């Protein structure tokens, strides 16, 4: 198999499931779907390195030359990078900010209301 095909991040993000897994390692893209069940480190750990550049995950383990040799047979193309099409990450962040802002305003308003009510009660009490 040749590594001539150029594969973008958007495409890699489509293959992040058990039985359909592509990994980006050292500028290359590997289709390791078939290898998930055979991987000595387990399939789950490979899923964590999916949908992104997984070079660091692969290198941090200190894979043997034998493991690197096995990689070759899963090669499907070269990694072209590009924009992510997974929007959830940023949207989740936005939601967290909005909720945070809302409760922030309440922490200022609530004591203010309590003070106002106390003043009102005192005024009524004097009459
Ligand atoms: C980036 C994703 C990967 C991660 C996070 C990962 C992680 C690990 C871990 C934690 C082990 C140690 C297992 C143990 O001793 O209990 C291991 C072993 C191993 N992995 Fe991976 N692995 C990844 C991808 C791959 C790929 C793509 C291949 C080959 C196609 C591979 C081949 C091997 C082999 C052969 C071993 C046995 C030890 C060795 O020869 O280095 N791994 N891996």
């Amino acid at each position: 198999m040749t590594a001539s095909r150029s594969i973008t991040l958007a495409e890699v993000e489509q293959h992040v499931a058990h039985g359909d897994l592509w990994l980006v390692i050292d500028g290359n893209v590997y289709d390791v779907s078939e290898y998930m069940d055979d991987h000595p480190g387990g399939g789950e750990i490979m899923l964590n390195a999916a949908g992104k550049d997984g070079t660091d995950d692969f290198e941090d383990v200190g894979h043997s030359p034998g493991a690197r040799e096995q990689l070759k047979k899963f090669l499907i193309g070269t990694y072209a990078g590009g924009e992510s099409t997974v929007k959830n990450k940023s949207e989740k962040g936005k939601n967290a900010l909005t909720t945070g802002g809302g409760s922030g305003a309440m922490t200022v308003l609530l004591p203010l209301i309590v003070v106002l009510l106390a003043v009102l009660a005192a005024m009524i009490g004097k009459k």
Side-chain angles (χ1 to χ4, degrees):
M1 207 183 272
T2 60
S4 55
R5 192 158 103 75
S6 205
I7 299 169
T8 61
L9 175 60
E11 213 177 328
V12 168
E13 285 173 345
Q14 305 298 311
H15 304 272
V16 293
H18 214 279
D20 180 16
L21 180 67
W22 291 8
L23 290 180
V24 178
I25 298 166
D26 263 337
N28 291 316
V29 181
Y30 301 90
D31 179 351
V32 293
S33 310
E34 302 296 315
Y35 188 66
M36 286 188 85
D37 293 336
D38 299 332
H39 181 230
E44 279 315 302
I45 199 162
M46 287 169 116
L47 271 178
N48 289 335
K52 60 171 186 171
D53 188 332
T55 307
D56 288 345
D57 299 77
F58 185 81
E59 295 300 340
D60 285 352
V61 176
H63 280 100
S64 66
R68 286 159 205 279
E69 190 63 31
Q70 285 199 55
L71 259 183
K72 290 182 188 168
K73 61 180 184 230
F74 301 114
L75 185 67
I76 53 168
T78 50
Y79 182 51
E83 290 292 307
S84 169
T85 53
V86 179
K87 290 188 187 122
N88 286 356
K89 282 181 212 160
S90 55
E91 267 164 19
K92 263 184 207 160
K94 265 184 216 160
N95 283 346
L97 274 181
T98 336
T99 332
S103 59
M106 264 329 266
T107 44
V108 177
L109 273 179
L110 216 66
L112 216 74
I113 292 166
V114 171
V115 170
L116 274 173
L117 281 176
V119 171
L120 217 71
M123 281 167 75
I124 291 166
K126 271 184 192 167
K127 279 182 188 168

